[in-house]
Amino acid sequence: MPTTPYYILYEDKLRRNLGLIRQIATEAGVEFILAFKAFALWRTFPIFREYIAHTTASSPDEARLAFEEFGSPAHTYSPAYEDATFDDVLRWSSHVTFNSLSQYERFLPRVRAYNNICMAEGGHPVSLGLRINPGYSEIETLLYNPCAPGSRFGVPASQLPERLPEGIEGLHVHNHCENDSYALERSLVHVETHFAPWLKQAKWLNLGGGHLVTRADYDTHHLIRLLRSFRSRYPHLRIILEPGSAFAWQTGDLVSSVVDVVENAGIKTAILNVSFTAHMPDCLEMPYHPAVSGAQTLPDATAEEQCAPCVYRLGGNSCLSGDWMGYWRFPRPLCVGDEVVFEDMIHYTTVKTNTFNGLRHPSLVLQRADGTREFLRRFAYEDYRDRMD
């Protein structure tokens, strides 16, 4: 058994999600690709390649990871590409989507030159896309809403010319975050209302991420009918979805241990050998109370409940005052050395971690379908030191 803290990913749960995603893609006649911004444990890519063929990147390093470790060029989108790395992005990508018309105009000459060389050498030119902003989203947390007023993401219909700019073959829209198929249905109404003329001109449409198709209550049959119906109206379009959370949803946990229990004003806090701000930032940013194995979550604990027996706030082991969450009721009093397991801590967690305060990054563990465990990565002092070398 690994020592805590560690993230553990379960292969059987991952394959369950991958199988469902492949089934939806087949029945709906669309393609699902993996978004690295939510999951990038590259040593698991051999498993992914049994089910999907492509990935999506948001930076040069993610594009390189797709090309070198996943084995296929990326579908790349960035809010703004940089001069120094744009040629690398082209080399590692099959699709490049621009966030603005100004970025498109700036880099079009370099795309033309690159594609001319590709075709001369018998390669495949990069397909260009443009991100559009439908002005509609059902994301409640403003921090995660790409269609909020004044958003820096995407081109509104009012700024598009009548014909898609030269070389633009696809459109990209992303306005979901862990939403269901009915939110997508309402979003597509806005997309069609505002962008129908350009949908007719495009070759592909990327519907972005945030489609939580592996959640237990997600209506996958409705999604399949919805996508089939949309494709019947635009049969020339290749439809792409690039969720991140859906692939790794409920596939693994973060296992920690209690290192101390302190009490102040009747409130008991179990201090753990992990940190919310360093190892589970979405809990504070979203915010949400994660499920803890064997404990009852009390998101709206009364003053009486906060001081009740076996009720604890959980505190991170950093010096940040806000590095805590609460409250949970445990079946018995917590003691130093007890394990506390945060459930569903793989997607949008492993990719966001940091070493604030020099806190040791939790190990990465893969539990194979046969029950055996292997370390994907152990972290040491040198990992902290070398980040600032």
Side-chain angles (χ1 to χ4, degrees):
M1 292 290 292
T3 57
T4 65
Y6 60 91
Y7 297 98
I8 183 165
L9 173 66
Y10 298 98
E11 181 184 4
D12 56 346
K13 296 181 180 180
L14 178 62
R15 287 187 180 275
R16 175 200 61 201
N17 286 354
L18 286 165
L20 177 59
I21 287 171
R22 181 172 61 184
Q23 178 185 343
I24 295 170
T26 300
E27 294 185 18
V30 301
E31 181 180 13
F32 279 78
I33 62 180
L34 170 67
F36 285 163
K37 62 185 176 182
F39 183 93
L41 297 180
W42 58 270
R43 288 185 62 183
T44 66
F45 288 173
I47 299 174
F48 279 80
R49 286 196 295 266
E50 296 178 32
Y51 300 85
I52 63 172
H54 299 100
T55 58
T56 179
S58 302
S59 65
D61 283 353
E62 284 189 345
R64 182 175 180 177
L65 189 72
F67 190 83
E68 294 186 353
E69 302 299 340
F70 200 89
S72 62
H75 292 236
T76 304
Y77 159 80
S78 174
Y81 298 103
E82 299 179 66
D83 283 326
T85 55
F86 187 71
D87 288 343
D88 291 333
V89 169
L90 290 175
R91 184 167 70 252
W92 296 321
S93 305
S94 59
H95 296 67
V96 169
T97 296
F98 294 105
N99 183 61
S100 67
L101 290 170
S102 58
Q103 279 261 301
Y104 156 78
E105 293 165 356
R106 179 178 180 180
F107 289 108
L108 180 60
R110 289 166 70 171
V111 176
R112 284 198 197 113
Y114 178 84
N115 281 346
N116 287 337
I117 294 173
C118 279
M119 290 185 287
E121 296 178 350
H124 297 284
V126 172
S127 180
L128 298 183
L130 193 66
R131 178 164 178 170
I132 55 176
N133 189 327
Y136 176 83
S137 175
E138 299 186 13
I139 301 174
E140 296 178 357
T141 303
L142 193 63
L143 181 67
Y144 293 86
N145 187 348
C147 296
S151 172
R152 72 189 193 279
F153 294 127
V155 181
S158 61
Q159 295 181 13
L160 284 177
E162 290 186 5
R163 300 294 304 175
L164 285 177
E166 175 195 348
I168 296 294
E169 296 183 331
L171 298 174
H172 178 119
V173 56
H174 175 63
N175 63 333
H176 293 92
C177 179
E178 298 187 356
N179 291 125
D180 60 21
S181 60
Y182 297 92
L184 175 59
E185 185 173 36
R186 293 185 287 271
S187 292
L188 286 177
V189 171
H190 287 263
V191 171
E192 289 193 78
T193 298
H194 298 294
F195 294 96
W198 298 283
L199 291 173
K200 296 174 183 177
Q201 301 171 36
K203 294 182 179 180
W204 53 266
L205 173 65
N206 187 323
L207 292 173
H211 312 283
L212 196 48
V213 299
T214 51
R215 189 173 59 195
D217 61 349
Y218 194 100
D219 192 340
T220 58
H221 297 294
H222 175 257
L223 175 65
I224 292 168
R225 293 194 303 270
L226 175 65
L227 292 173
R228 284 177 173 174
S229 175
F230 186 83
R231 288 181 57 240
S232 70
R233 296 192 295 278
Y234 303 93
H236 62 288
L237 281 179
R238 173 190 175 199
I239 306 298
I240 304 162
L241 296 90
E242 52 176 41
S245 297
F247 283 95
W249 182 256
Q250 295 184 341
T251 60
D253 309 317
L254 173 57
V255 184
S256 66
S257 294
V258 177
V259 293
D260 195 13
V261 178
V262 299
E263 185 171 341
N264 190 336
I267 294 174
K268 300 176 290 298
T269 301
I271 301 178
L272 311 174
N273 59 352
V274 293
S275 162
F276 288 97
T277 187
H279 305 139
M280 297 172 280
D282 268 358
C283 294
L284 301 180
E285 292 177 359
M286 191 65 170
Y288 73 97
H289 282 71
V292 174
S293 296
Q296 177 189 2
T297 305
L298 303 173
D300 301 308
T302 65
E304 183 178 359
E305 286 177 322
Q306 292 173 12
C307 300
C310 301
V311 171
Y312 297 83
R313 296 197 318 190
L314 297 179
N317 202 9
S318 80
C319 65
L320 181 69
S321 297
D323 190 4
W324 64 271
M325 292 198 74
Y327 294 83
W328 285 265
R329 179 181 284 111
F330 288 81
R332 59 175 180 78
L334 291 179
C335 301
V336 172
D338 286 346
E339 285 193 352
V340 173
V341 179
F342 294 94
E343 298 178 358
D344 196 22
M345 280 293 161
I346 299 298
H347 62 90
Y348 277 109
T349 300
T350 53
V351 292
K352 283 188 171 185
T353 54
N354 59 69
T355 55
F356 172 65
N357 258 181
L359 295 176
R360 186 69 54 86
H361 191 292
S363 300
L364 304 175
V365 178
L366 174 64
Q367 180 164 306
R368 292 290 186 180
D370 62 4
T372 60
R373 292 182 172 185
E374 64 180 87
F375 279 96
L376 301 180
R377 177 74 185 271
R378 289 184 177 92
F379 295 86
Y381 159 72
E382 289 76 16
D383 296 293
Y384 169 70
R385 180 196 67 190
D386 293 347
R387 285 184 70 249
M388 295 168 283
D389 185 5

